[in-house]
Every structure is written in structure tokens, then in C-alpha cells.
Amino acid sequence: MAAFISVPLKNSQEVNLVPPLKKFIQRTYNKDGGSDEDTIQALTDLNTQRINAVCRKLDKHENSIDTLQRYYDQLAVMDAKLPVSEDMVCKIAVLCCHFAFPNSIKSH
């Protein structure tokens, strides 16, 4: 007989990514590019896409796939343009984010 394990779903919370990404862009490129209106609008659009794709319940419809695909495409473009290391992501996650499973991150 097969045994099943019940695992609760992990919920994402709405987080405003605009200020930390703006600061990261300013530090990475050593200029005031993070305050450019086009940059702020692009970051705001990315944040909205994240909220729509990750934080809201998606129905079983083709529009949900489009929402996830647009967000994934933006992440792929960002990955190519912004130099982010795995170590940097871990530090940001520990310092800035609230996790649904608090025991999943252990301090070193």
C-alpha cells in the first residue's frame, strides 16, 4: 500500500521589490540610473507581474499560463542583465524576507 505525505502549500507574500532593486541597480552600475523614470516604471511593472504570478491564486485557464510566462520572461531578461550571485541571493533572503517555513533557513 502506498503512503502519502501531506505537505502544506507555501504561500508567497506581497513584497515591494522596487526599492531594493533600484538600490541594487544604482550600486551595480555606479550611477543614478535607478532613479530614471523609465527604470522605475519597469521595476513597478515587474513588481506587478510578480504579484499577479506568485501571490494571487491563478485559475486553471490559459490566461494563468500567460501571466506566469510573462513573469518568467522578465526574470530571464533580468538574469542576463543583472549580475546576481547565489551567495548574494541568500544574504538578501535571510535579511529581508519572511519565510512560511522558518526552520528551512539555518544560520551559519
Side-chain angles (χ1 to χ4, degrees), residues 33-73:
S35 63
D36 182 23
E37 283 297 319
D38 293 336
T39 304
I40 293 173
Q41 183 60 43
L43 292 175
T44 303
D45 292 344
L46 175 70
N47 197 47
T48 302
Q49 286 181 356
R50 180 193 179 279
I51 290 169
N52 290 336
V54 178
C55 299
R56 298 213 171 108
K57 299 276 185 195
L58 297 174
D59 56 350
K60 295 177 183 177
H61 195 268
E62 193 170 323
N63 290 339
S64 297
I65 295 172
D66 292 339
T67 300
L68 292 170
Q69 184 64 44
R70 280 193 306 271
Y71 179 58
Y72 175 80
D73 289 344

mmCIF file of all heavy atoms in Angstrom, residues 33-73:
data_model
loop_
_atom_site.group_PDB
_atom_site.id
_atom_site.type_symbol
_atom_site.label_atom_id
_atom_site.label_comp_id
_atom_site.label_asym_id
_atom_site.label_seq_id
_atom_site.Cartn_x
_atom_site.Cartn_y
_atom_site.Cartn_z
ATOM 1 N N GLY A 33 21.138 55.686 -12.313
ATOM 2 C CA GLY A 33 20.198 55.095 -13.259
ATOM 3 C C GLY A 33 18.955 54.545 -12.607
ATOM 4 O O GLY A 33 17.930 54.394 -13.240
ATOM 5 N N GLY A 34 19.020 54.230 -11.322
ATOM 6 C CA GLY A 34 17.864 53.680 -10.633
ATOM 7 C C GLY A 34 16.778 54.695 -10.380
ATOM 8 O O GLY A 34 15.671 54.337 -10.020
ATOM 9 N N SER A 35 17.080 55.974 -10.585
ATOM 10 C CA SER A 35 16.050 56.985 -10.368
ATOM 11 C C SER A 35 15.428 57.450 -11.675
ATOM 12 O O SER A 35 14.572 58.311 -11.676
ATOM 13 C CB SER A 35 16.638 58.183 -9.614
ATOM 14 O OG SER A 35 17.642 58.787 -10.391
ATOM 15 N N ASP A 36 15.865 56.901 -12.793
ATOM 16 C CA ASP A 36 15.299 57.221 -14.090
ATOM 17 C C ASP A 36 13.829 56.785 -14.118
ATOM 18 O O ASP A 36 13.488 55.697 -13.654
ATOM 19 C CB ASP A 36 16.121 56.503 -15.164
ATOM 20 C CG ASP A 36 15.645 56.802 -16.567
ATOM 21 O OD1 ASP A 36 15.007 57.846 -16.775
ATOM 22 O OD2 ASP A 36 15.927 55.983 -17.459
ATOM 23 N N GLU A 37 12.969 57.625 -14.681
ATOM 24 C CA GLU A 37 11.525 57.318 -14.706
ATOM 25 C C GLU A 37 11.228 56.009 -15.439
ATOM 26 O O GLU A 37 10.375 55.240 -15.004
ATOM 27 C CB GLU A 37 10.757 58.470 -15.363
ATOM 28 C CG GLU A 37 10.577 59.669 -14.464
ATOM 29 C CD GLU A 37 9.738 59.338 -13.226
ATOM 30 O OE1 GLU A 37 8.734 58.618 -13.329
ATOM 31 O OE2 GLU A 37 10.111 59.819 -12.150
ATOM 32 N N ASP A 38 11.938 55.755 -16.540
ATOM 33 C CA ASP A 38 11.717 54.508 -17.278
ATOM 34 C C ASP A 38 12.108 53.295 -16.443
ATOM 35 O O ASP A 38 11.431 52.265 -16.464
ATOM 36 C CB ASP A 38 12.512 54.510 -18.585
ATOM 37 C CG ASP A 38 12.004 55.551 -19.571
ATOM 38 O OD1 ASP A 38 10.818 55.942 -19.464
ATOM 39 O OD2 ASP A 38 12.789 55.978 -20.434
ATOM 40 N N THR A 39 13.203 53.413 -15.706
ATOM 41 C CA THR A 39 13.655 52.314 -14.857
ATOM 42 C C THR A 39 12.656 52.049 -13.741
ATOM 43 O O THR A 39 12.308 50.893 -13.470
ATOM 44 C CB THR A 39 15.037 52.629 -14.251
ATOM 45 O OG1 THR A 39 15.948 52.903 -15.309
ATOM 46 C CG2 THR A 39 15.551 51.476 -13.418
ATOM 47 N N ILE A 40 12.181 53.101 -13.104
ATOM 48 C CA ILE A 40 11.214 52.941 -12.022
ATOM 49 C C ILE A 40 9.928 52.329 -12.547
ATOM 50 O O ILE A 40 9.340 51.441 -11.911
ATOM 51 C CB ILE A 40 10.966 54.286 -11.320
ATOM 52 C CG1 ILE A 40 12.242 54.729 -10.595
ATOM 53 C CG2 ILE A 40 9.795 54.190 -10.348
ATOM 54 C CD1 ILE A 40 12.183 56.111 -10.018
ATOM 55 N N GLN A 41 9.478 52.762 -13.723
ATOM 56 C CA GLN A 41 8.265 52.194 -14.313
ATOM 57 C C GLN A 41 8.458 50.716 -14.647
ATOM 58 O O GLN A 41 7.579 49.895 -14.398
ATOM 59 C CB GLN A 41 7.855 52.973 -15.572
ATOM 60 C CG GLN A 41 6.567 52.496 -16.186
ATOM 61 C CD GLN A 41 5.385 52.606 -15.246
ATOM 62 O OE1 GLN A 41 5.227 53.605 -14.560
ATOM 63 N NE2 GLN A 41 4.561 51.586 -15.197
ATOM 64 N N ALA A 42 9.633 50.361 -15.179
ATOM 65 C CA ALA A 42 9.917 48.957 -15.497
ATOM 66 C C ALA A 42 9.947 48.108 -14.227
ATOM 67 O O ALA A 42 9.423 46.991 -14.209
ATOM 68 C CB ALA A 42 11.241 48.847 -16.252
ATOM 69 N N LEU A 43 10.540 48.630 -13.167
ATOM 70 C CA LEU A 43 10.575 47.898 -11.892
ATOM 71 C C LEU A 43 9.182 47.754 -11.301
ATOM 72 O O LEU A 43 8.841 46.711 -10.736
ATOM 73 C CB LEU A 43 11.511 48.595 -10.908
ATOM 74 C CG LEU A 43 13.000 48.562 -11.252
ATOM 75 C CD1 LEU A 43 13.786 49.403 -10.260
ATOM 76 C CD2 LEU A 43 13.519 47.138 -11.285
ATOM 77 N N THR A 44 8.370 48.794 -11.423
ATOM 78 C CA THR A 44 6.990 48.734 -10.937
ATOM 79 C C THR A 44 6.196 47.699 -11.721
ATOM 80 O O THR A 44 5.424 46.922 -11.142
ATOM 81 C CB THR A 44 6.320 50.119 -11.039
ATOM 82 O OG1 THR A 44 7.110 51.054 -10.305
ATOM 83 C CG2 THR A 44 4.915 50.101 -10.487
ATOM 84 N N ASP A 45 6.397 47.652 -13.035
ATOM 85 C CA ASP A 45 5.719 46.642 -13.856
ATOM 86 C C ASP A 45 6.158 45.232 -13.469
ATOM 87 O O ASP A 45 5.329 44.323 -13.388
ATOM 88 C CB ASP A 45 5.997 46.883 -15.337
ATOM 89 C CG ASP A 45 5.341 48.151 -15.863
ATOM 90 O OD1 ASP A 45 4.430 48.678 -15.185
ATOM 91 O OD2 ASP A 45 5.748 48.614 -16.952
ATOM 92 N N LEU A 46 7.456 45.054 -13.229
ATOM 93 C CA LEU A 46 7.960 43.750 -12.794
ATOM 94 C C LEU A 46 7.340 43.346 -11.460
ATOM 95 O O LEU A 46 6.937 42.193 -11.270
ATOM 96 C CB LEU A 46 9.481 43.773 -12.672
ATOM 97 C CG LEU A 46 10.110 42.498 -12.114
ATOM 98 C CD1 LEU A 46 9.992 41.356 -13.117
ATOM 99 C CD2 LEU A 46 11.549 42.729 -11.733
ATOM 100 N N ASN A 47 7.258 44.292 -10.537
ATOM 101 C CA ASN A 47 6.671 44.015 -9.230
ATOM 102 C C ASN A 47 5.198 43.613 -9.377
ATOM 103 O O ASN A 47 4.735 42.676 -8.717
ATOM 104 C CB ASN A 47 6.817 45.235 -8.316
ATOM 105 C CG ASN A 47 6.611 44.889 -6.869
ATOM 106 O OD1 ASN A 47 7.162 43.921 -6.380
ATOM 107 N ND2 ASN A 47 5.813 45.691 -6.184
ATOM 108 N N THR A 48 4.476 44.298 -10.257
ATOM 109 C CA THR A 48 3.067 43.963 -10.502
ATOM 110 C C THR A 48 2.950 42.570 -11.114
ATOM 111 O O THR A 48 2.075 41.784 -10.723
ATOM 112 C CB THR A 48 2.427 45.007 -11.429
ATOM 113 O OG1 THR A 48 2.555 46.291 -10.827
ATOM 114 C CG2 THR A 48 0.958 44.708 -11.663
ATOM 115 N N GLN A 49 3.839 42.246 -12.061
ATOM 116 C CA GLN A 49 3.829 40.909 -12.657
ATOM 117 C C GLN A 49 4.108 39.840 -11.612
ATOM 118 O O GLN A 49 3.495 38.773 -11.622
ATOM 119 C CB GLN A 49 4.858 40.813 -13.778
ATOM 120 C CG GLN A 49 4.460 41.513 -15.034
ATOM 121 C CD GLN A 49 5.507 41.368 -16.121
ATOM 122 O OE1 GLN A 49 6.576 40.792 -15.903
ATOM 123 N NE2 GLN A 49 5.203 41.891 -17.292
ATOM 124 N N ARG A 50 5.025 40.112 -10.705
ATOM 125 C CA ARG A 50 5.341 39.157 -9.642
ATOM 126 C C ARG A 50 4.134 38.913 -8.757
ATOM 127 O O ARG A 50 3.804 37.778 -8.433
ATOM 128 C CB ARG A 50 6.508 39.641 -8.788
ATOM 129 C CG ARG A 50 6.851 38.673 -7.668
ATOM 130 C CD ARG A 50 7.793 39.268 -6.640
ATOM 131 N NE ARG A 50 8.049 38.317 -5.593
ATOM 132 C CZ ARG A 50 7.230 38.092 -4.562
ATOM 133 N NH1 ARG A 50 6.112 38.755 -4.435
ATOM 134 N NH2 ARG A 50 7.534 37.196 -3.646
ATOM 135 N N ILE A 51 3.476 39.985 -8.366
ATOM 136 C CA ILE A 51 2.298 39.854 -7.507
ATOM 137 C C ILE A 51 1.219 39.047 -8.218
ATOM 138 O O ILE A 51 0.606 38.151 -7.625
ATOM 139 C CB ILE A 51 1.793 41.239 -7.071
ATOM 140 C CG1 ILE A 51 2.786 41.866 -6.096
ATOM 141 C CG2 ILE A 51 0.403 41.149 -6.449
ATOM 142 C CD1 ILE A 51 2.531 43.332 -5.800
ATOM 143 N N ASN A 52 0.992 39.333 -9.502
ATOM 144 C CA ASN A 52 -0.033 38.608 -10.258
ATOM 145 C C ASN A 52 0.326 37.141 -10.455
ATOM 146 O O ASN A 52 -0.541 36.280 -10.420
ATOM 147 C CB ASN A 52 -0.262 39.274 -11.618
ATOM 148 C CG ASN A 52 -0.942 40.614 -11.493
ATOM 149 O OD1 ASN A 52 -1.627 40.891 -10.511
ATOM 150 N ND2 ASN A 52 -0.758 41.463 -12.478
ATOM 151 N N ALA A 53 1.609 36.851 -10.655
ATOM 152 C CA ALA A 53 2.018 35.477 -10.937
ATOM 153 C C ALA A 53 2.223 34.635 -9.691
ATOM 154 O O ALA A 53 1.938 33.446 -9.686
ATOM 155 C CB ALA A 53 3.307 35.488 -11.761
ATOM 156 N N VAL A 54 2.718 35.251 -8.614
ATOM 157 C CA VAL A 54 3.147 34.469 -7.458
ATOM 158 C C VAL A 54 2.205 34.574 -6.272
ATOM 159 O O VAL A 54 1.974 33.597 -5.567
ATOM 160 C CB VAL A 54 4.581 34.898 -7.045
ATOM 161 C CG1 VAL A 54 5.051 34.155 -5.825
ATOM 162 C CG2 VAL A 54 5.542 34.700 -8.190
ATOM 163 N N CYS A 55 1.661 35.738 -6.030
ATOM 164 C CA CYS A 55 0.913 35.958 -4.797
ATOM 165 C C CYS A 55 -0.593 35.710 -4.925
ATOM 166 O O CYS A 55 -1.251 35.416 -3.939
ATOM 167 C CB CYS A 55 1.132 37.387 -4.299
ATOM 168 S SG CYS A 55 2.864 37.720 -3.921
ATOM 169 N N ARG A 56 -1.114 35.835 -6.096
ATOM 170 C CA ARG A 56 -2.556 35.669 -6.285
ATOM 171 C C ARG A 56 -2.862 34.254 -6.733
ATOM 172 O O ARG A 56 -2.055 33.589 -7.379
ATOM 173 C CB ARG A 56 -3.046 36.671 -7.328
ATOM 174 C CG ARG A 56 -2.807 38.089 -6.858
ATOM 175 C CD ARG A 56 -3.872 39.023 -7.355
ATOM 176 N NE ARG A 56 -3.717 40.316 -6.696
ATOM 177 C CZ ARG A 56 -3.268 41.398 -7.293
ATOM 178 N NH1 ARG A 56 -2.940 41.358 -8.567
ATOM 179 N NH2 ARG A 56 -3.172 42.525 -6.630
ATOM 180 N N LYS A 57 -4.051 33.804 -6.409
ATOM 181 C CA LYS A 57 -4.490 32.473 -6.841
ATOM 182 C C LYS A 57 -4.745 32.520 -8.342
ATOM 183 O O LYS A 57 -5.428 33.400 -8.841
ATOM 184 C CB LYS A 57 -5.788 32.072 -6.133
ATOM 185 C CG LYS A 57 -5.674 31.981 -4.644
ATOM 186 C CD LYS A 57 -5.134 30.653 -4.254
ATOM 187 C CE LYS A 57 -5.141 30.555 -2.729
ATOM 188 N NZ LYS A 57 -4.351 29.510 -2.236
ATOM 189 N N LEU A 58 -4.152 31.582 -9.062
ATOM 190 C CA LEU A 58 -4.349 31.502 -10.501
ATOM 191 C C LEU A 58 -5.353 30.404 -10.803
ATOM 192 O O LEU A 58 -5.272 29.307 -10.250
ATOM 193 C CB LEU A 58 -3.023 31.208 -11.205
ATOM 194 C CG LEU A 58 -1.945 32.285 -11.050
ATOM 195 C CD1 LEU A 58 -0.639 31.808 -11.666
ATOM 196 C CD2 LEU A 58 -2.388 33.581 -11.686
ATOM 197 N N ASP A 59 -6.309 30.708 -11.679
ATOM 198 C CA ASP A 59 -7.292 29.703 -12.046
ATOM 199 C C ASP A 59 -6.713 28.783 -13.119
ATOM 200 O O ASP A 59 -5.651 29.025 -13.673
ATOM 201 C CB ASP A 59 -8.586 30.364 -12.530
ATOM 202 C CG ASP A 59 -8.348 31.323 -13.686
ATOM 203 O OD1 ASP A 59 -7.175 31.604 -13.983
ATOM 204 O OD2 ASP A 59 -9.335 31.787 -14.272
ATOM 205 N N LYS A 60 -7.408 27.714 -13.385
ATOM 206 C CA LYS A 60 -6.947 26.740 -14.374
ATOM 207 C C LYS A 60 -7.448 27.192 -15.744
ATOM 208 O O LYS A 60 -8.398 26.662 -16.300
ATOM 209 C CB LYS A 60 -7.469 25.350 -14.034
ATOM 210 C CG LYS A 60 -6.915 24.829 -12.735
ATOM 211 C CD LYS A 60 -7.486 23.485 -12.378
ATOM 212 C CE LYS A 60 -6.960 23.041 -11.038
ATOM 213 N NZ LYS A 60 -7.533 21.775 -10.613
ATOM 214 N N HIS A 61 -6.742 28.193 -16.276
ATOM 215 C CA HIS A 61 -7.141 28.787 -17.535
ATOM 216 C C HIS A 61 -5.883 29.197 -18.292
ATOM 217 O O HIS A 61 -4.818 29.387 -17.707
ATOM 218 C CB HIS A 61 -8.044 30.012 -17.258
ATOM 219 C CG HIS A 61 -8.780 30.477 -18.454
ATOM 220 N ND1 HIS A 61 -8.280 31.435 -19.283
ATOM 221 C CD2 HIS A 61 -9.985 30.123 -18.960
ATOM 222 C CE1 HIS A 61 -9.144 31.660 -20.260
ATOM 223 N NE2 HIS A 61 -10.191 30.872 -20.080
ATOM 224 N N GLU A 62 -5.999 29.368 -19.585
ATOM 225 C CA GLU A 62 -4.843 29.730 -20.406
ATOM 226 C C GLU A 62 -4.270 31.093 -20.026
ATOM 227 O O GLU A 62 -3.063 31.328 -20.156
ATOM 228 C CB GLU A 62 -5.249 29.726 -21.880
ATOM 229 C CG GLU A 62 -4.080 29.782 -22.819
ATOM 230 C CD GLU A 62 -4.486 29.536 -24.245
ATOM 231 O OE1 GLU A 62 -5.373 28.709 -24.488
ATOM 232 O OE2 GLU A 62 -3.897 30.194 -25.120
ATOM 233 N N ASN A 63 -5.088 31.997 -19.515
ATOM 234 C CA ASN A 63 -4.589 33.309 -19.091
ATOM 235 C C ASN A 63 -3.587 33.182 -17.945
ATOM 236 O O ASN A 63 -2.663 33.989 -17.833
ATOM 237 C CB ASN A 63 -5.744 34.219 -18.670
ATOM 238 C CG ASN A 63 -6.588 34.639 -19.855
ATOM 239 O OD1 ASN A 63 -6.130 34.600 -20.993
ATOM 240 N ND2 ASN A 63 -7.814 35.027 -19.587
ATOM 241 N N SER A 64 -3.764 32.198 -17.092
ATOM 242 C CA SER A 64 -2.829 31.979 -15.991
ATOM 243 C C SER A 64 -1.458 31.568 -16.518
ATOM 244 O O SER A 64 -0.428 32.003 -15.996
ATOM 245 C CB SER A 64 -3.362 30.903 -15.048
ATOM 246 O OG SER A 64 -4.568 31.333 -14.462
ATOM 247 N N ILE A 65 -1.439 30.763 -17.555
ATOM 248 C CA ILE A 65 -0.169 30.365 -18.160
ATOM 249 C C ILE A 65 0.517 31.580 -18.769
ATOM 250 O O ILE A 65 1.732 31.746 -18.634
ATOM 251 C CB ILE A 65 -0.391 29.269 -19.224
ATOM 252 C CG1 ILE A 65 -0.924 27.998 -18.546
ATOM 253 C CG2 ILE A 65 0.885 28.976 -19.997
ATOM 254 C CD1 ILE A 65 -1.361 26.928 -19.505
ATOM 255 N N ASP A 66 -0.251 32.449 -19.411
ATOM 256 C CA ASP A 66 0.322 33.672 -19.991
ATOM 257 C C ASP A 66 0.914 34.567 -18.914
ATOM 258 O O ASP A 66 1.984 35.153 -19.098
ATOM 259 C CB ASP A 66 -0.747 34.442 -20.776
ATOM 260 C CG ASP A 66 -1.187 33.711 -22.035
ATOM 261 O OD1 ASP A 66 -0.433 32.848 -22.522
ATOM 262 O OD2 ASP A 66 -2.299 34.008 -22.520
ATOM 263 N N THR A 67 0.230 34.685 -17.781
ATOM 264 C CA THR A 67 0.720 35.500 -16.667
ATOM 265 C C THR A 67 2.052 34.967 -16.159
ATOM 266 O O THR A 67 3.013 35.725 -15.974
ATOM 267 C CB THR A 67 -0.313 35.518 -15.522
ATOM 268 O OG1 THR A 67 -1.533 36.065 -16.000
ATOM 269 C CG2 THR A 67 0.173 36.315 -14.339
ATOM 270 N N LEU A 68 2.137 33.663 -15.944
ATOM 271 C CA LEU A 68 3.383 33.044 -15.479
ATOM 272 C C LEU A 68 4.492 33.158 -16.524
ATOM 273 O O LEU A 68 5.647 33.416 -16.186
ATOM 274 C CB LEU A 68 3.140 31.578 -15.119
ATOM 275 C CG LEU A 68 2.271 31.334 -13.895
ATOM 276 C CD1 LEU A 68 1.897 29.859 -13.792
ATOM 277 C CD2 LEU A 68 2.968 31.805 -12.645
ATOM 278 N N GLN A 69 4.147 32.998 -17.787
ATOM 279 C CA GLN A 69 5.142 33.072 -18.853
ATOM 280 C C GLN A 69 5.729 34.473 -18.972
ATOM 281 O O GLN A 69 6.937 34.637 -19.126
ATOM 282 C CB GLN A 69 4.532 32.654 -20.196
ATOM 283 C CG GLN A 69 5.534 32.616 -21.331
ATOM 284 C CD GLN A 69 6.601 31.566 -21.123
ATOM 285 O OE1 GLN A 69 6.309 30.440 -20.727
ATOM 286 N NE2 GLN A 69 7.844 31.911 -21.385
ATOM 287 N N ARG A 70 4.896 35.523 -18.875
ATOM 288 C CA ARG A 70 5.395 36.899 -18.944
ATOM 289 C C ARG A 70 6.337 37.194 -17.777
ATOM 290 O O ARG A 70 7.386 37.813 -17.957
ATOM 291 C CB ARG A 70 4.229 37.897 -18.944
ATOM 292 C CG ARG A 70 3.565 38.058 -20.297
ATOM 293 C CD ARG A 70 2.648 39.256 -20.338
ATOM 294 N NE ARG A 70 1.658 39.271 -19.276
ATOM 295 C CZ ARG A 70 0.455 38.709 -19.343
ATOM 296 N NH1 ARG A 70 0.075 38.078 -20.433
ATOM 297 N NH2 ARG A 70 -0.378 38.782 -18.330
ATOM 298 N N TYR A 71 5.983 36.733 -16.579
ATOM 299 C CA TYR A 71 6.846 36.954 -15.413
ATOM 300 C C TYR A 71 8.162 36.194 -15.572
ATOM 301 O O TYR A 71 9.238 36.732 -15.319
ATOM 302 C CB TYR A 71 6.119 36.536 -14.133
ATOM 303 C CG TYR A 71 6.949 36.713 -12.888
ATOM 304 C CD1 TYR A 71 7.457 37.957 -12.537
ATOM 305 C CD2 TYR A 71 7.231 35.638 -12.061
ATOM 306 C CE1 TYR A 71 8.224 38.122 -11.398
ATOM 307 C CE2 TYR A 71 7.991 35.799 -10.911
ATOM 308 C CZ TYR A 71 8.483 37.038 -10.590
ATOM 309 O OH TYR A 71 9.243 37.202 -9.465
ATOM 310 N N TYR A 72 8.099 34.956 -16.026
ATOM 311 C CA TYR A 72 9.314 34.166 -16.238
ATOM 312 C C TYR A 72 10.217 34.830 -17.281
ATOM 313 O O TYR A 72 11.441 34.886 -17.111
ATOM 314 C CB TYR A 72 8.962 32.743 -16.668
ATOM 315 C CG TYR A 72 10.170 31.924 -17.003
ATOM 316 C CD1 TYR A 72 10.936 31.350 -15.992
ATOM 317 C CD2 TYR A 72 10.586 31.766 -18.318
ATOM 318 C CE1 TYR A 72 12.075 30.622 -16.283
ATOM 319 C CE2 TYR A 72 11.719 31.037 -18.621
ATOM 320 C CZ TYR A 72 12.457 30.465 -17.595
ATOM 321 O OH TYR A 72 13.582 29.745 -17.892
ATOM 322 N N ASP A 73 9.627 35.334 -18.362
ATOM 323 C CA ASP A 73 10.414 36.004 -19.400
ATOM 324 C C ASP A 73 11.141 37.222 -18.841
ATOM 325 O O ASP A 73 12.296 37.470 -19.167
ATOM 326 C CB ASP A 73 9.520 36.421 -20.571
ATOM 327 C CG ASP A 73 9.031 35.235 -21.389
ATOM 328 O OD1 ASP A 73 9.609 34.133 -21.263
ATOM 329 O OD2 ASP A 73 8.053 35.414 -22.145
#
